[in-house]
Amino acid sequence: MGTTAKEEMAHFWEKNTKSNRPLSPHVTIYKWSLPMAMSIMHRGTGVALSLGVSLFGLAALLLPEQFPHYLAMVKSLSLGPALIYSAKFALAFPLSYHTWNGVRHLV
């Protein structure tokens, strides 16, 4: 019978320790650049948008009332303008950033 994964890993590390091989570089050695940060942000906003749309669709299917009822509930909370504009920005930013970054990538 063959060796187990644990034995293979032990053999691998023993061989590397004996040969004094350097460890491969990690992410921390790379200098951050704007395209790298934009790519990470693009992926993050894509994941956030897909989760948001999925949760909104699931809520539309499972919640008992219609959308105007929940909108009236939010309006009855009398939230301040700073909180409302912050929430609007939190909803609009991922969509606009992901869209324009996608257009930039295609161009």
Side-chain angles (χ1 to χ4, degrees), residues 53-67 69-70:
V53 168
S54 298
L55 290 175
F56 186 79
L58 190 62
L61 288 173
L62 298 178
L63 290 175
E65 295 292 329
Q66 297 294 321
F67 181 73
H69 171 77
Y70 297 108

Side-chain angles (χ1 to χ4, degrees), residues 16-81:
N16 275 353
T17 304
K18 284 180 185 176
S19 64
N20 289 328
R21 292 180 181 164
L23 292 175
S24 61
H26 191 58
V27 177
T28 56
I29 69 159
Y30 297 108
K31 183 180 178 192
W32 280 81
S33 63
L34 184 61
M36 182 191 302
M38 290 176 72
S39 174
I40 292 169
M41 189 75 152
H42 184 77
R43 290 170 191 242
T45 55
V47 168
L49 288 170
S50 64
L51 286 175
V53 168
S54 298
L55 290 175
F56 186 79
L58 190 62
L61 288 173
L62 298 178
L63 290 175
E65 295 292 329
Q66 297 294 321
F67 181 73
H69 171 77
Y70 297 108
L71 185 62
M73 275 180 39
V74 170
K75 285 183 179 180
S76 71
L77 294 174
S78 299
L79 303 172

